[in-house]
Amino acid sequence: MNTNIYDFAAIEKKWQDKWKNEETFKVSSKSQAKKYYLLEMFPYPSGRIHMGHVRNYSIGDVVARFKRMQGYNVLHPMGWDAFGLPAENAAIKHSTHPAKWTYENIDYMKKQLQGMGLSYDWSREIATCRPEYYKWEQLFFIKLYEKGLVYPKVTTVNWCETCQTVLANEQVIDGCCWRCDESVLPREMNGWFFKITDYTEELLAECDNLKGWPEKVLTMQRNWIGKSTGAEIDFIVDGFDKKLTIFTTRPDTIYGATFMSIAPDHKYIHELCQGTGREKEITAFAEKTRIEKQRQNPEDELAKEGVFTGRYAVNPFTGDKLPIYAANFVLAEYGTGAVMAVPAHDQRDFEFARQYDLPVKVVIQPAGETLDGKTMTTAYEEAGTLVNSGEFSTLPSDTAKIKITEQAREQGFGKQQTTYRLRDWGISRQRYWGAPIPMIYCQKCGVQPVPEKDLPVTLPPDVTIEKSGKSPLHDLASFHATTCPRCGGPGRRETDTMDTFVESSWYYARYACPGYTEGPLDKQEVDYWLPVDQYIGGVEHAILHLLYARFFTKVLRDIGYLSVNEPFANLLTQGMVIKDGTKMSKSKGNVVDPDVLIKRYGADTVRLFSLFAAPPERDLEWSDQGVEGAYRFLNRVYRFVHDNMETLTRSANVLPETLNSPSRELHRKTHQTISKVGSDIDGKFHFNTAISAVMELTNTLYTLTGENVPEKPRTEIIKEAVEAIIQLLSPMVPHFCEEIWQRLGHATDLSHSPWPSFDPEAIKEDFITLVVQINGKVRSKLQVAADCDEDTVKEKTLADDKVQKFIDGKTIRKMIIVNNKLVNIVVS
RNA sequence: GCGAGAGUGGCGGAAUUGGCAGACGCACUAGACUUAGGAUCUAGCGCACUUCGUGUGUGGGGGUUCAAGUCCCCCCUCUCGCACCA
């Protein structure tokens, strides 16, 4: 290795080989040190890592290395979220097998990650597509089924005829399949559901305890859960034997109901209009609405539209007959699928009423204003005082809510009710490349779980993915033909596979015991390592993955596999990497390839820049010139060490008793930097300011040792500064620092040597520059001894020439002295 | 529409509890070294005015204060999330 230049390629290879051969970052729970579990979201093995990965894993690695130097027993694992549709698409495109494609990608990406010098314990690597992994997922499925937390349901799904598969909502773009661009059709299908709704309240309540999560993510989760409290009230329908139940958050407005709206696909819609002569019209309207909702651009709201059903509901409080409309804005899936319409106090009902010329009856009056149903132009939705509401008139709306609900309950036609937006999690996928759902259908016994001893239900490898995209499992008798575990008769396996979000809902726990064969989780290990102390990933998973993982943790806790309530104690959501102001994408041609950068500058430079360019939670604008700057900085440090190698290695580590002035200055700056970098990294993740602090120290070092300075710092102090720079940078640019550390004569690796500590005494400044303001404007600056007393400051200030000039002939009204900072003289 | 976050030089971004706005880096300008410079070093670099200097300046407007990027009120813009949720 030529040490005259910064030969990053040779340096990085040397240390990566060493880390790999010596398993430097392998950890075990048998340690005296306190544990720290740092996890980054594992990648989908799509082929190559992208800049988003580089950023995510660089951030994580800094924290892992920092915590390790602080003496923690750091678990820092990596693995592969390896099931998913892209593998099937690639298999079709390249006439290969999803498994082959996936494993090849994993091999390549693993090399890329190792090439970044990330400090993973690779002995814990997981690939979710391996039977050793998904076997346990199938076991969970069965356990959940036995507990009633998994159930089958026939429901409407997004079906793509061309691709022969169900699509998740997020895979439907403007009503079309993201893959083939054909229209997606709703289709009634049987599917398996996880009963996440059993955990709604806990998922919501625990949000308040997740102090280490960004408020933004918690808000998104709360919104997604969408709790609202109100009342359910039954309405009798004239000439119809069933009651219609509505849900409302405003029972206080019930006297103002002038009609009723129900979803066009409400479960009673057909029965309801039977015999009214309006059946055809209603059916046509339901069909039209369905199609429009399919086609609808989510950006714009559908115009409100409705059709009278020919029936009337009776308001239980007033006895009024309310016409029932099928309305396109009422959702069958939310609440009860029917609403009482109070146009005076609900904007949607108001718009609908005006459109169809229905009465608007005011029952809530705001203070200091009198609303008139005939003339009002917008609904009044706030609180107020009840009017036209029988015995409840004059009550404030808050009280009325309670009283009206109470009376409905007493009289048996209503109750207090809470509704959630959150739905159960449909996990069936008509795909091949996923974990098979371990259930068997039997003509005689119905659906039966696969016995535990028969797990895993292995994905058959010998299949071809056809162009149609249809899962080969459906027609593969060797897979689905089996016997019923109960009666021994012929059975057919479930041919659907699980949503890939199921794998990622528990992988973090499996890292605690990746090789465990007695069960999914080794209780001792997971109890030691969990929860994850710091989780890091993109904000795009704010709801789906993070909610599912929280749910799974609670389920696994209740089955007895885990002891924690929440999987991730602290969460950091990093921003996107963008270029030219927009997200990197092939179509925009602004993609930066990490391989190219690493080849050109080395992994350390790429890491350094991605940490320096922006704080983690913000978007990072990629700049080729910025990368150049990071490279330049490392060279600057390298050069200093190289040019001073002899002095540095010869110099003692013991600091001398007395120091000259430049020594004191450098010593102070060194300790200030140690202090700042530590506090910037620890918990704050301000890597950008940490790096700039080290740059400042480097600049100071150059300045104080420059050719023309009259007196240089002592070599011991220079050595102290250089070693601090190397130690402080080491979590960010590990190869570079290890190499220099070694050349400086250290026998122990930096990875496992302690984080430097600072001397609080050394940090203190001898002299302070005191800013002197007159009427709030900076007019002069004074050098004073630190902690100088007020009288001395006053005296010195008034004696200053510039100050004299500005206060001459004026009256001093006030003098404000802020210790060690500034003086403000108020004159008139 | 609702919710969250943000708005600071040419650019990325700094600025404890209110206390020198623009740290650090990029770009740019001038100079040095050099056969050469896309290496390195030195100096400059918010804007305006004629220089020392003075004025002005953190999306806009108002306020509190000796002092506001920071606190309070109103408005504007952008990003993200949710979106007819009854």
Side-chain angles (χ1 to χ4, degrees):
Chain A
M1 197 187 297
N2 177 4
T3 57
N4 290 324
I5 51 146
Y6 167 35
D7 183 358
F8 57 82
I11 292 172
E12 289 177 6
K13 178 159 193 319
K14 168 180 164 183
W15 290 93
Q16 283 165 16
D17 287 349
K18 184 171 153 64
W19 293 332
K20 193 173 171 185
N21 296 337
E22 297 179 4
E23 296 191 287
T24 309
F25 306 108
K26 192 170 172 174
V27 284
S28 114
S29 58
K30 319 256 176 314
S31 162
Q32 301 301 310
K34 203 167 168 225
K35 74 97 184 178
Y36 189 88
Y37 186 177
L38 183 113
L39 184 66
E40 301 118 37
M41 290 180 186
F42 66 168
Y44 177 77
S46 56
R48 307 168 73 82
I49 61 168
H50 53 68
M51 291 315 295
H53 294 128
V54 168
R55 187 177 191 200
N56 192 173
Y57 303 144
S58 295
I59 292 167
D61 202 45
V62 176
V63 181
R65 288 177 180 273
F66 175 72
K67 285 287 166 187
R68 211 174 277 126
M69 289 176 83
Q70 278 191 327
Y72 288 90
N73 187 30
V74 175
L75 174 58
H76 188 210
M78 184 37 77
W80 312 96
D81 188 12
F83 272 139
L85 195 54
E88 291 182 55
N89 293 338
I92 295 166
K93 199 171 161 194
H94 307 299
S95 305
T96 175
H97 191 280
K100 184 168 182 280
W101 183 81
T102 302
Y103 287 124
E104 282 173 3
N105 286 349
I106 288 175
D107 285 347
Y108 188 78
M109 289 172 76
K110 184 174 177 178
K111 283 201 186 77
Q112 287 187 299
L113 293 184
Q114 286 173 331
M116 281 182 63
L118 303 165
S119 65
Y120 295 124
D121 177 354
W122 282 107
S123 73
R124 292 171 188 261
E125 184 181 358
I126 284 171
T128 58
C129 62
R130 294 190 190 280
E132 307 88 80
Y133 183 82
Y134 68 71
K135 171 184 176 176
W136 305 117
E137 193 166 304
Q138 293 172 336
L139 179 70
F140 292 148
F141 187 98
I142 292 164
K143 297 261 185 200
L144 263 64
Y145 178 73
E146 286 163 355
K147 281 203 82 178
L149 289 167
V150 170
Y151 64 94
K153 182 171 79 173
V154 175
T155 189
T156 312
V157 293
N158 309 305
W159 177 261
C160 177
E161 186 58 32
T162 329
C163 303
Q164 290 288 302
T165 185
V166 163
L167 299 172
N169 288 334
E170 60 270 25
Q171 290 156 359
V172 180
I173 298 151
D174 293 339
C176 294
C177 172
W178 67 288
R179 189 159 69 139
C180 67
D181 216 27
E182 291 296 319
S183 278
V184 170
L185 304 165
R187 182 164 160 175
E188 292 277 297
M189 277 189 81
N190 186 38
W192 290 95
F193 287 81
F194 282 174
K195 220 169 174 185
I196 191 171
T197 52
D198 267 19
Y199 288 83
T200 320
E201 268 306 324
E202 195 191 341
L203 287 167
L204 184 64
E206 287 270 348
C207 283
D208 297 339
N209 300 330
L210 291 171
K211 304 283 184 222
W213 282 41
E215 201 48 48
K216 175 188 164 126
V217 175
L218 293 175
T219 307
M220 283 166 76
Q221 294 223 343
R222 289 190 188 105
N223 289 345
W224 189 263
I225 292 167
K227 179 179 181 172
S228 57
T229 45
E232 265 183 20
I233 295 171
D234 300 329
F235 282 62
I236 288 165
V237 181
D238 246 11
F240 185 58
D241 59 347
K242 290 194 174 80
K243 284 179 276 185
L244 270 187
T245 305
I246 59 100
F247 173 72
T248 180
T249 56
R250 294 296 300 273
D252 54 317
T253 63
I254 194 161
Y255 281 80
T258 56
F259 62 100
M260 182 180 273
S261 311
I262 71 170
D265 47 345
H266 190 280
K267 58 181 169 177
Y268 293 159
I269 190 90
H270 297 296
E271 288 177 66
L272 184 73
C273 57
Q274 219 148 58
T276 62
R278 308 189 59 85
E279 297 89 334
K280 273 190 191 149
E281 219 177 322
I282 294 292
T283 312
F285 178 66
E287 181 61 15
K288 183 180 164 218
T289 305
R290 194 178 62 75
I291 292 166
E292 280 180 350
K293 289 215 168 166
Q294 275 297 314
R295 207 173 287 154
Q296 179 203 9
N297 184 351
E299 300 284 294
D300 38 50
E301 218 166 80
L302 215 56
K304 286 187 182 46
E305 217 180 323
V307 173
F308 179 48
T309 58
R311 297 278 180 200
Y312 292 86
V314 182
N315 186 329
F317 281 86
T318 62
D320 290 350
K321 292 201 173 167
L322 314 176
I324 303 171
Y325 280 78
N328 64 350
F329 63 89
V330 180
L331 309 170
E333 325 81 74
Y334 184 78
T336 59
V339 290
M340 64 172 193
V342 185
H345 307 293
D346 182 285
Q347 187 58 27
R348 293 157 303 179
D349 296 342
F350 181 83
E351 285 168 29
F352 193 85
R354 284 286 189 254
Q355 193 173 333
Y356 292 97
D357 211 18
L358 294 157
V360 177
K361 183 182 169 194
V362 172
V363 290
I364 308 282
Q365 286 290 1
E369 206 184 329
T370 307
L371 299 173
D372 179 355
K374 290 199 180 62
T375 56
M376 62 200 293
T377 53
T378 170
Y380 176 75
E381 297 185 326
E382 310 302 310
T385 307
L386 269 73
V387 293
N388 299 323
S389 299
E391 57 182 288
F392 302 101
S393 294
T394 74
L395 287 178
S397 34
D398 280 351
T399 318
K401 265 183 203 172
I402 298 162
K403 297 226 161 166
I404 288 175
T405 309
E406 185 55 21
Q407 194 175 101
R409 192 186 61 79
E410 277 165 12
Q411 301 188 4
F413 56 81
K415 59 177 180 184
Q416 207 242 307
Q417 179 70 350
T418 303
T419 312
Y420 301 92
R421 217 181 73 115
L422 183 71
R423 294 291 123 70
D424 277 338
W425 175 15
I427 57 113
S428 290
R429 295 291 178 268
Q430 291 65 35
R431 294 175 185 163
Y432 164 75
W433 193 234
I437 293 171
M439 299 301 276
I440 293 166
Y441 297 95
C442 171
Q443 290 280 345
K444 238 166 62 192
C445 314
V447 65
Q448 296 293 326
V450 172
E452 282 183 31
K453 65 171 171 56
D454 295 341
L455 295 180
V457 177
T458 320
L459 208 52
D462 46 348
V463 296
T464 314
I465 309 296
E466 302 207 16
K467 273 222 166 53
S468 70
K470 188 179 175 183
S471 167
L473 298 180
H474 298 303
D475 300 323
L476 193 66
S478 62
F479 174 73
H480 66 65
T482 184
T483 51
C484 170
R486 189 156 168 212
C487 69
R492 182 186 161 93
R493 282 191 196 285
E494 171 63 80
T495 51
D496 284 351
T497 53
M498 286 191 243
D499 182 358
T500 56
F501 278 109
V502 180
E503 283 91 66
S504 55
S505 291
W506 68 285
Y507 77 110
Y508 62 87
R510 183 69 182 174
Y511 279 136
C513 50
Y516 191 58
T517 52
E518 310 294 303
L521 300 169
D522 181 343
K523 193 95 195 308
Q524 235 181 329
E525 293 291 323
V526 293
D527 280 353
Y528 174 80
W529 289 112
L530 293 187
V532 172
D533 293 281
Q534 183 66 54
Y535 197 36
I536 306 172
V539 74
E540 65 273 17
H541 295 107
I543 294 173
L544 292 167
H545 162 58
L546 290 169
L547 190 67
Y548 294 150
R550 293 183 60 213
F551 159 64
F552 237 76
T553 304
K554 294 173 193 306
V555 171
L556 296 183
R557 174 199 63 196
D558 291 346
I559 308 178
Y561 286 118
L562 295 178
S563 309
V564 292
N565 293 322
E566 288 286 340
F568 315 121
N570 296 287
L571 174 69
L572 174 66
T573 49
Q574 108 255 1
M576 286 187 304
V577 179
I578 58 175
K579 179 108 194 286
D580 311 321
T582 50
K583 193 174 175 174
M584 287 187 184
S585 76
K586 270 183 208 153
S587 59
K588 287 178 198 126
N590 61 348
V591 183
V592 177
D593 181 4
D595 276 356
V596 173
L597 282 167
I598 290 173
K599 190 147 196 277
R600 183 136 164 216
Y601 297 104
D604 282 330
T605 294
V606 176
R607 291 170 58 130
L608 185 69
F609 176 72
S610 65
L611 294 164
F612 178 63
E617 53 298 338
R618 256 200 257 186
D619 284 352
L620 184 155
E621 170 76 34
W622 195 263
S623 150
D624 293 339
Q625 285 159 330
V627 178
E628 196 84 41
Y631 183 61
R632 205 157 16 197
F633 169 66
L634 289 183
N635 274 290
R636 207 162 133 80
V637 175
Y638 190 93
R639 220 178 305 122
F640 189 92
V641 175
H642 182 261
D643 294 349
N644 296 280
M645 189 53 88
E646 225 195 314
T647 338
L648 289 168
T649 44
R650 219 182 36 213
S651 173
N653 269 329
V654 186
L655 298 183
E657 289 281 310
T658 51
L659 298 175
N660 58 5
S661 162
S663 291
R664 271 211 306 282
E665 191 182 339
L666 183 57
H667 183 60
R668 187 186 310 119
K669 186 73 179 171
T670 300
H671 283 258
Q672 284 172 339
T673 307
I674 294 170
S675 164
K676 175 158 176 64
V677 172
S679 69
D680 275 357
I681 295 178
D682 208 3
K684 291 200 318 206
F685 311 117
H686 290 178
F687 312 115
N688 54 335
T689 49
I691 293 165
S692 80
V694 181
M695 286 173 167
E696 281 187 55
L697 176 57
T698 308
N699 292 345
T700 304
L701 191 58
Y702 267 100
T703 308
L704 292 177
T705 57
E707 277 181 20
N708 298 323
V709 297
E711 194 185 9
K712 290 182 186 174
R714 297 195 45 153
T715 55
E716 296 91 334
I717 301 295
I718 293 173
K719 183 173 184 173
E720 181 191 46
V722 168
E723 295 202 333
I725 288 170
I726 299 306
Q727 287 174 301
L728 298 178
L729 284 177
S730 71
M732 310 185 225
V733 286
H735 318 85
F736 178 91
C737 294
E738 288 286 7
E739 180 64 25
I740 292 180
W741 191 248
Q742 191 181 64
R743 289 191 202 166
L744 287 173
H746 294 276
T748 342
D749 289 358
L750 258 179
S751 305
H752 288 100
S753 62
W755 185 252
S757 57
F758 62 91
D759 174 5
E761 282 302 311
I763 285 180
K764 289 184 186 160
E765 302 277 355
D766 303 340
F767 291 95
I768 304 282
T769 306
L770 211 56
V771 173
V772 182
Q773 296 181 332
I774 289 155
N775 284 348
K777 287 184 176 161
V778 182
R779 296 300 183 191
S780 182
K781 286 174 188 182
L782 290 178
Q783 290 292 321
V784 297
D787 298 320
C788 184
D789 64 281
E790 290 204 3
D791 288 339
T792 317
V793 169
K794 216 174 218 169
E795 198 180 302
K796 283 199 163 192
T797 306
L798 295 173
D800 184 71
D801 284 353
K802 287 184 196 139
V803 173
Q804 281 290 327
K805 200 176 105 192
F806 278 96
I807 63 174
D808 185 40
K810 293 183 179 130
T811 320
I812 295 177
R813 305 205 87 91
K814 214 175 186 180
M815 214 166 151
I816 293 127
I817 298 171
V818 182
N819 222 8
N820 290 342
K821 267 189 186 143
L822 89 156
V823 182
N824 191 7
I825 306 170
V826 187
V827 298
S828 61

